[in-house]
């Protein structure tokens, strides 16, 4: 199960929740959700070890999506992000290239595409975990053969 934090307007969260429920999705879980940027930061800080992916809107009350991205970078919080937005300003999207945004999806697209990209992120997470596990095992084996 891929746990996501969805920081977006209430109607988008509700629509995606209903979509997942209608198809009985077993891979994607909107475990945390909020519609306010500052509340989103609180959830990131409190639950970051349990969040696999953040679905983030740019337009939010209190603190916008760009502010959240800047905070993640400043605090070195490495979360996979899907930007979910109405904004089609390519210049703005280019400026956001320095942040860990894996996908940009436009609101109004098929919700199945959003689910697919979240599943892609889950597969990437599993791959990275396997590589890290293999690297730790290799390091342990190499250090056990050192003689002085």
């Amino acid at each position: 199960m891929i746990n996501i934090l969805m920081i977006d307007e209430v109607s988008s969260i509700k629509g995606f929740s209903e979509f997942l429920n209608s198809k009985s999705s077993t891979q994607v879980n909107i475990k945390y959700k909020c519609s306010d940027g500052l509340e989103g930061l609180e959830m990131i800080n409190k639950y970051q070890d349990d969040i696999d992916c953040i679905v983030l809107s740019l337009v939010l009350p209190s603190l916008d999506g760009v502010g959240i991205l800047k905070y993640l970078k400043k605090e070195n919080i490495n979360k996979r992000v899907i930007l979910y937005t109405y904004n089609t300003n390519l210049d703005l999207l280019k400026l956001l290239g320095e942040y860990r945004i894996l996908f940009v999806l436009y609101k109004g697209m098929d919700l199945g595409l959003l689910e697919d990209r979240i599943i892609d992120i889950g597969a990437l997470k599993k791959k990275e975990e396997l590589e890290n596990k293999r690297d730790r095992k290799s390091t342990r084996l190499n250090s056990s053969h050192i003689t002085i």
Side-chain angles (χ1 to χ4, degrees):
M1 185 70 71
I2 304 158
N3 292 328
I4 66 169
L5 164 60
M6 191 163 186
I7 309 173
D8 200 348
E9 58 194 33
V10 173
S11 61
S12 292
I13 295 170
K14 183 179 180 200
F16 191 50
S17 293
E18 288 172 355
F19 170 80
L20 292 174
N21 290 336
S22 72
K23 58 184 303 243
S24 301
S25 178
T26 58
Q27 292 183 288
V28 177
N29 178 28
I30 304 175
K31 190 158 185 184
Y32 308 102
K33 53 192 166 203
C34 63
S35 57
D36 177 272
L38 290 178
E39 186 181 353
L41 286 185
E42 289 174 19
M43 289 186 155
I44 290 167
N45 285 321
K46 188 171 182 180
Y47 304 112
Q48 68 178 289
D49 292 339
D50 194 36
I51 297 169
D52 299 315
C53 171
I54 299 171
V55 177
L56 178 64
S57 177
L58 285 175
V59 179
L60 299 163
S62 300
L63 180 67
D64 66 1
V66 175
I68 292 173
L69 291 168
K70 287 180 177 181
Y71 177 83
L72 292 173
K73 184 176 180 180
K74 178 181 164 238
E75 297 299 318
N76 200 28
I77 299 172
N78 295 311
K79 290 293 163 192
R80 296 162 187 88
V81 176
I82 295 175
L83 199 58
Y84 189 54
T85 182
Y86 288 117
N87 192 323
T88 58
N89 181 335
L90 293 178
D91 291 330
L92 173 63
L93 296 178
K94 286 177 189 175
L95 288 173
L96 297 176
E98 67 183 270
Y99 302 102
R100 196 168 183 194
I101 300 169
L102 297 182
F103 299 105
V104 177
L105 298 177
Y106 296 103
K107 291 181 182 180
M109 295 181 81
D110 179 4
L111 290 174
L113 184 60
L114 177 56
E115 180 187 29
D116 290 345
R117 294 303 76 85
I118 293 169
I119 292 169
D120 290 344
I121 286 175
L124 176 64
K125 178 185 178 231
K126 284 182 185 176
K127 181 182 175 191
E128 288 174 354
E129 287 171 348
L130 286 172
E131 288 172 357
N132 289 339
K133 189 176 183 180
R134 190 173 39 242
D135 289 346
R136 284 192 304 271
K137 185 175 182 181
S138 175
T139 301
R140 234 183 2 254
L141 289 174
N142 288 338
S143 65
S144 67
H145 290 86
I146 297 174
T147 56
I148 300 178

